[in-house]
Amino acid sequence: MGAVRAGNDLDQPLRRLEAVLQNATASVFLMNDRQHCIYMNPAAEQLTGFTLDEVLAADQPLHDIIHHLHPDGTPFPMHDCAIDRAFPDHAKTQGEEVFVHKDGSFYPVAFTASPIHDDTSSTIGTIIEVRNIAAEKQREQDLRRAIEEKKVLLQEVNHRVKNSLQLVASLLALQEQSTVSPELKQSLQEASSRVGVIASLHNRLYQTQDYDSVDVCEYLLELGREAMISAAKDGVRFHFSGDARRKLPISDAVSLALIVSELILNAVKHAFREGNGTLELRICETDDCLTIEVIDDGCGLPAGFAMTKSKTLGMKIIRALSRQLRADVSFRNAEPGTAWRIAVPTSR
Amino acid sequence: MKVLIVEDEALVALQIESAAEEAGHSVVGVADNIASAMEIAGQSKPDLALVDVMLARDESGLSLAVMLAEAGVPVFLASGNCPADSARSRALGCLHKPFRDEDLSALFLIAEAVINGQPAPTSRSAIQIY
């Protein structure tokens, strides 16, 4: 197959054409105005399993020979077929279809159907080029499966991380319960709640279908509500405003959540000496910055408080994490109370 | 000793910082990338740099270790996966992560001895000396 006599034969246009068609790896069909195949090259014979003679002898539209069934076995009428529409529509058509091999098996193909015209521009037939894309489809499917598997594994890892962190938080809580010293109890409770913040962010990561970023604003709202519940100060109201929907990478989200958690817990613990007031959490977002404000109308910070000088662990954590986030953390006297502001650049 | 901490996880840096101060050393700076580490090293001439192998923005702590060694700053690496030998990093040793406070206090004792050419006064499984 594909042999062409050497020498001057290739000077003749028809010989040239034959050489091209005989040796091409693309399958080429020439269809007449009744959608019957009147020529197919050797590649097309190999693709379909039928010889040109068999197709000619069948004396029916090519569609009814190689494209008459959907892969589910139901009939595929010719008038629904995109390839055969190229003829009546006078338009070049490209796409993907599934053909039926002579042996009954289905195979995916990519096709181009180009109407051919006579001197008066009426369509007299169609050239159809076809390529078997089974290998490409398989690769695509393998890739999709690999990506799917990766997602499942990452979800699994997030699940395990969450469980392990939950375990750590529980151990610390248990230790708190078996401790008598109020000061020690307080420290262990704080440690447990800090670990808890990280655990619940990982839980969020696991519950949503995302595996590397979380909707941090939604989480901060939850954090605020939970802090209020565990503080159990009936006179203190919690107010949330903001509609930011910013997703942050998990590591940034953890840093930000720990900072906000410190500020909320600090306000709940120290600001409301009278036992009543309002704690407000405001979130707003611009193109390159996420701003979070924690505002209380309580008793205000101690006189002479300086963020950079404070030796409390809470402030040390806030300083360290804001440096890591390249965030700007500041506070002002809200008269009454204190307003903290964290500005996180999001286009780092 | 004047200690430089190069670590991109802020809370881990905080833990090292407080352990160093607890052990009577002074922390001259905390950096999370090569540029800021070299700047602090140039200004403060630290006696020891503790360098995490993976830095912020995928920078390499091993490259930084070489630069610090060339600037005359002794380096200890810190990593979850310590290199088997100093390789090209020219580090004195490596602290295996995750580490505990006891590992950190031992690390400062060991580093001080190694820098002064003395035998290590103690050993811990988390600390590898090259």
Side-chain angles (χ1 to χ4, degrees), chain A residues 12-23:
Chain A
Q12 300 168 22
L14 275 178
R15 281 285 183 211
R16 268 188 233 160
L17 186 61
E18 194 190 333
V20 170
L21 288 168
Q22 290 286 319
N23 292 286

Side-chain angles (χ1 to χ4, degrees), chain A residues 19 23 31 46 53 71 96 101 128 132 168 172 205 215 237 241 249 274 281 283 320 347:
Chain A
N23 292 286
M31 319 282 286
Q46 208 186 345
D53 290 339
E96 290 182 6
H101 193 266
I128 305 175
N132 186 329
V168 177
L172 290 168
L205 207 55
D215 184 334
R237 281 170 303 137
S241 65
E274 307 291 319
L281 181 62
I283 297 179
S347 52

Side-chain angles (χ1 to χ4, degrees), chain A residues 105-172:
Chain A
S105 62
F106 293 93
Y107 55 99
V109 295
F111 71 87
T112 305
S114 317
I116 43 180
H117 310 285
D118 65 8
D119 296 341
T120 65
S121 304
S122 18
T123 304
I124 52 170
T126 322
I127 297 279
I128 305 175
E129 302 155 57
V130 178
R131 198 163 46 84
N132 186 329
I133 53 170
E136 285 159 48
K137 288 276 171 202
Q138 185 61 48
R139 272 198 297 276
E140 210 176 286
Q141 200 185 336
D142 290 349
L143 197 60
R144 236 195 297 261
R145 189 174 303 146
I147 291 170
E148 201 47 49
E149 275 170 12
K150 189 194 83 172
K151 279 186 188 163
V152 171
L153 284 174
L154 282 167
Q155 287 286 7
E156 177 63 24
V157 167
N158 283 333
H159 183 55
R160 287 190 197 174
V161 168
K162 182 215 64 165
N163 280 349
S164 300
L165 287 168
Q166 194 54 63
L167 211 59
V168 177
S170 299
L171 276 174
L172 290 168

Side-chain angles (χ1 to χ4, degrees), chain A residues 24-96:
Chain A
T25 54
S27 305
V28 180
F29 302 87
L30 174 57
M31 319 282 286
N32 69 9
D33 57 354
R34 295 193 298 135
Q35 324 282 19
H36 287 222
C37 173
I38 54 172
Y39 171 77
M40 60 203 278
N41 71 346
E45 291 183 326
Q46 208 186 345
L47 178 83
T48 60
F50 294 97
T51 63
L52 177 58
D53 290 339
E54 285 169 334
V55 167
L56 292 172
D59 192 28
Q60 54 180 329
L62 183 64
H63 178 91
D64 294 341
I65 304 171
I66 65 166
H67 200 195
H68 55 295
L69 293 176
H70 287 290
D72 63 5
T74 56
F76 189 167
M78 186 165 78
H79 56 78
D80 289 346
C81 174
I83 304 174
D84 294 279
R85 291 221 56 88
F87 181 84
D89 290 352
H90 311 288
K92 180 175 278 212
T93 309
Q94 286 188 313
E96 290 182 6

Side-chain angles (χ1 to χ4, degrees), chain A residues 258 316 320-321 323-324 326, chain B residues 8-11 14 32 57:
Chain A
L258 282 171
K316 279 185 187 173
L321 291 175
R323 194 165 52 200
Q324 174 169 317
R326 308 287 191 263
Chain B
D8 66 335
E9 203 58 71
L11 294 181
L14 199 58
D32 68 357
R57 288 175 220 108

